[in-house]
Amino acid sequence: MDSGEQSGAAASPGLEQPVLEVRGVSKRYGSVHALRDINFEIHRNEVVGLVGDNGAGKSTLVNILSGALHPTSGQILVDGAPVSFKSATDARDVGIETVYQDLALAPDLSIWANLFLGRERTVSGPLGWLGWLDRRAMMSRSVEDLDRTKIHIASVSSRVGRLSGGQRQAVAVGRAVAWGSRVLLLDEPTAALGVEQQAKVGDLIRTVSGHGIPVLLISHNLPQVYELCDRVVVLFHGRVIAELRPKETDLDSIVSWITGSAMLAGKTAR
Amino acid sequence: MLKVEEHQRDLAETAEEDETGGVPWFQRFMERIGALWTLGVLVVLIVAFGTVAPTLYTKAAWLATASFAVEYLILAIGQTFVIVTAGIDLADGATLGFSAMAGSLLMANMLGSHDSGGLTVVAGILLMLATGAGIGLLNGLIITKMKLPPFIVTLGTLTAVTGATDLLNNGTEITNLPGFVTTLGTASVISGWLPVPVLVALALALVFGLVLTRTRFGLRTYAIGSNEVAARRAGIDVDRHLVRVYMISGLLAGVAGLMVTANFSSASPIAGANDELYAIAAVVIGGASIFGGRGTIFGTVIGTAIIALLTTGLVLANVQPFWQQVAIGAVVVGAVAVDRVRTVVGTD
């Protein structure tokens, strides 16, 4: 198809099926094309960056992938099977988990309660029918889940409101992983964080992708995208203008694709 | 690998820092003792009033205080659920009055036509509970379907329901009730120390305390008040849950209506008027946050006890009764101020 895609396949050996495939997705609002014919794939163990200037179509694409918007045309495939979402719950059901910038955590609830919110475990028997919580099971499962994602927090009974920004991010990501997601979408995970916390989130992303869960990282933090991602998809005016591999390019050239100056200079990356 | 281990250690260290670092000792202390400080205030009040007026330590004073507290405690239990969701139910006192009148009117009419005591009592009690829950349902539906603020909606139903209560019996009270209703108000256990209405209120506090802290319903109630968006994203049907919470508040107002009717052996159209203010005060004194996400039934029980004790204590100490409301108002503001100090530390 194009050079970027081919080298992408080379990185994940064999003809492994992409976990997430976006095929010819377009989104139109009347005569305005928010997205035009978007194509890209994400494979196991990959961290893929999605970058672009404001208005390039990033949030539209994220909203389509997370089920909040319908594409006008095109297809989304998860593990090779076409999927269609009516709501964010549908996207989650097929394993696309989005961690939003606001994290969607309840600060007054403990870590374990946040991890299990919406799919609480109840005890068996008559008390269970009344919704009696199995707190012990949820707490010990929370410890396991957070361990698996290498997130270490003093106690799963701590209130989320007491955690630092990086730790909250870790809890939100830990929840997404625990909910059995197949692809993790991180929407500006470091926007509100200090430098040190940003580095921790970077480590967290590596750990998650090390577990075989591919990550789509949507971020304005280009140095971090450059450092963490195996591939970077650049959106420009609603199109995928380039797919770059940080190993084969430099930060400046990613910037030049985002601003569109690379295109004007007649370079090709697709 | 080394880097990952470093990362783990960093996170653990940050957790410890967050819990102690940079927080003044006083605030840390307050945070640790949690809602227990209200219990301390209660003990101080009991000792202080008892010193001024030793008659506080008599059975009569206990019964007066406990019976006074019943209606406020039952209302405050429902109000706790509502406030934990970051809502408010200003209509619960009016709901008490309406459901008591509606149930009593039915009982009085049934007594007049065919005198089958048992059926009359059952029908009357069921009607009280049903009208209470029905008004709660109405509140919940208007709040969630029309997306209006609970304060405004329940202010409206407070006014409308108060008027409707007078319409029921032309603003006059109903006294010809079945004997069982009077018995319910006067019966007691443990050689007269525990009147049945007090027992009912305490049992309700226990049951709803467990519902709030130990069940899925309770957890979701906290979640909605803490971060409604998070609750929606977690797949919780927030609207349906809120309707149920307002129904609980209305249902308990119906129970309180029954207890008040039993206590006075009559239903008055002004029963429950302004009760919502005491109920809200009790919840707030008990440590609940008016912004949602925090509050316990245990705290509400203590808060109600403080209000009841202030009322009887000031009477026994021969203080002009007008001071009661001044004192309760001061305690409400004081409780919120203390709560502010207690939680100001980077928790929200």
Side-chain angles (χ1 to χ4, degrees):
Chain A
M1 196 165 131
D2 61 57
S3 64
E5 291 287 333
Q6 273 152 24
S7 49
S12 34
L15 289 167
E16 203 186 332
Q17 200 163 49
V19 179
L20 178 73
E21 186 181 350
V22 176
R23 209 183 267 174
V25 163
S26 299
K27 178 72 185 174
R28 260 198 336 224
Y29 297 98
S31 62
V32 181
H33 277 81
L35 292 174
R36 284 173 201 255
D37 192 27
I38 304 291
N39 289 288
F40 68 90
E41 301 174 348
I42 304 175
H43 294 263
R44 255 175 82 81
N45 297 318
E46 261 192 321
V47 180
V48 175
L50 181 65
V51 298
D53 215 340
N54 292 341
K58 275 182 308 183
S59 16
T60 310
L61 185 51
V62 172
N63 283 331
I64 287 172
L65 290 176
S66 64
L69 283 178
H70 261 301
T72 312
S73 60
Q75 262 190 326
I76 298 165
L77 296 91
V78 174
D79 286 335
V83 290
S84 156
F85 312 132
K86 287 197 182 65
S87 71
T89 321
D90 291 351
R92 185 181 298 149
D93 286 346
V94 302
I96 301 178
E97 190 80 36
T98 309
V99 175
Y100 296 91
Q101 203 174 337
D102 64 14
L103 301 180
L105 297 172
D108 297 293
L109 296 187
S110 61
I111 293 171
W112 69 260
N114 269 286
L115 288 174
F116 279 90
L117 191 61
R119 44 152 210 170
E120 303 86 353
R121 290 202 187 168
T122 53
V123 295
S124 50
L127 272 177
W129 304 334
L130 296 172
W132 195 271
L133 296 171
D134 192 345
R135 292 158 69 101
R136 196 176 300 171
M138 287 190 278
M139 283 187 208
S140 64
R141 184 60 202 268
S142 298
V143 173
E144 284 171 33
D145 283 346
L146 293 182
D147 272 354
R148 203 145 37 94
T149 44
K150 307 268 189 254
I151 300 161
H152 284 251
I153 287 167
S155 159
V156 290
S157 304
S158 311
R159 281 197 304 121
V160 163
R162 306 213 51 143
L163 303 178
S164 68
Q167 287 175 320
R168 288 185 205 201
Q169 193 78 49
V171 172
V173 170
R175 174 171 63 180
V177 172
W179 284 36
S181 68
R182 288 196 268 189
V183 193
L184 189 61
L185 268 61
L186 293 177
D187 191 5
E188 298 288 352
T190 56
L193 300 181
V195 175
E196 196 187 336
Q197 302 279 348
Q198 286 182 11
K200 286 176 182 169
V201 171
D203 291 340
L204 186 66
I205 292 170
R206 284 201 190 89
T207 311
V208 169
S209 78
H211 278 280
I213 299 171
V215 177
L216 181 65
L217 174 63
I218 301 100
S219 180
H220 270 105
N221 185 342
L222 291 180
Q224 184 167 48
V225 168
Y226 185 74
E227 191 198 325
L228 285 172
C229 295
D230 302 302
R231 275 187 298 132
V232 179
V233 175
V234 185
L235 287 183
F236 185 77
H237 287 226
R239 297 172 194 270
V240 175
I241 195 181
E243 258 190 62
L244 309 160
R245 328 193 114 258
K247 274 181 201 149
E248 296 161 5
T249 184
D250 56 20
L251 190 54
D252 286 343
S253 111
I254 295 179
V255 173
S256 68
W257 280 108
I258 291 172
T259 58
S261 56
M263 189 177 59
L264 292 177
K267 289 193 195 175
T268 47
R270 279 185 60 101
Chain B
M1 211 54 221
L2 187 70
K3 197 155 189 187
V4 171
E5 275 159 21
E6 243 172 49
H7 158 235
Q8 293 171 10
R9 210 179 51 235
D10 287 354
L11 272 181
E13 276 169 13
T14 324
E16 274 162 43
E17 260 172 37
D18 285 348
E19 272 162 35
T20 54
V23 180
W25 69 269
F26 178 66
Q27 287 173 347
R28 248 184 295 151
F29 173 72
M30 292 306 283
E31 172 108 22
R32 215 154 269 166
I33 62 170
L36 283 180
W37 78 271
T38 41
L39 190 59
V41 170
L42 181 64
V43 171
V44 169
L45 282 178
I46 291 173
V47 172
F49 279 125
T51 313
V52 179
T55 47
L56 184 72
Y57 302 136
T58 59
K59 187 176 174 181
W62 151 252
L63 289 179
T65 312
S67 299
F68 173 83
V70 166
E71 105 188 59
Y72 302 110
L73 179 55
I74 297 176
L75 290 179
I77 293 167
Q79 193 73 249
T80 306
F81 277 76
V82 173
I83 287 180
V84 164
T85 67
I88 197 142
D89 186 358
L90 294 176
D92 63 0
T95 306
L96 182 163
F98 184 83
S99 52
M101 280 297 284
S104 299
L105 193 63
L106 178 71
M107 285 193 278
N109 284 327
M110 283 177 79
L111 272 186
S113 56
H114 51 96
D115 197 22
S116 62
L119 182 67
T120 303
V121 169
V122 171
I125 290 176
L126 284 181
L127 185 63
M128 287 186 193
L129 303 186
T131 44
I135 295 170
L137 174 69
L138 187 69
N139 282 330
L141 287 177
I142 299 173
I143 289 165
T144 55
K145 301 299 168 211
M146 300 178 73
K147 307 206 184 308
L148 295 175
F151 186 93
I152 301 299
V153 172
T154 57
L155 184 64
T157 41
L158 157 66
T159 316
V161 168
T162 305
T165 307
D166 282 331
L167 288 174
L168 282 178
N169 200 33
N170 293 322
T172 54
E173 61 175 16
I174 298 165
T175 49
N176 54 328
L177 297 174
F180 177 82
V181 174
T182 313
T183 315
L184 189 65
T186 49
S188 61
V189 292
I190 322 179
S191 40
W193 280 90
L194 200 57
V196 167
V198 178
L199 188 66
V200 168
L202 290 176
L204 288 171
L206 182 67
V207 169
F208 281 96
L210 290 174
V211 168
L212 193 53
T213 55
R214 286 290 180 268
T215 69
R216 180 167 47 204
F217 187 88
L219 184 67
R220 293 181 170 187
T221 305
Y222 282 112
I224 289 169
S226 188
N227 186 347
E228 193 179 316
V229 175
R232 284 188 199 279
R233 292 231 185 101
I236 295 172
D237 189 337
V238 172
D239 287 359
R240 194 177 62 185
H241 195 96
L242 285 175
V243 169
R244 288 177 182 177
V245 165
Y246 283 91
M247 278 181 79
I248 287 176
S249 185
L251 176 72
L252 287 171
V255 177
L258 173 64
M259 292 303 140
V260 172
T261 308
N263 195 29
F264 293 106
S265 300
S266 68
S268 157
I270 59 160
N274 297 331
D275 275 13
E276 61 279 358
L277 299 180
Y278 280 14
I280 293 164
V283 175
V284 171
I285 292 172
S289 165
I290 214 84
F291 303 109
R294 272 184 293 125
T296 60
I297 298 295
F298 176 73
T300 295
V301 172
I302 305 291
T304 312
I306 287 176
I307 288 176
L309 191 71
L310 276 175
T311 309
T312 42
L314 289 170
V315 171
L316 292 178
N318 284 322
V319 178
Q320 242 189 330
F322 308 120
W323 283 103
Q324 290 166 13
Q325 282 177 307
V326 177
I328 292 167
V331 171
V332 170
V333 176
V336 176
V338 171
D339 184 61
R340 191 91 198 129
V341 174
R342 198 151 57 84
T343 57
V344 77
V345 211
T347 50
D348 295 322

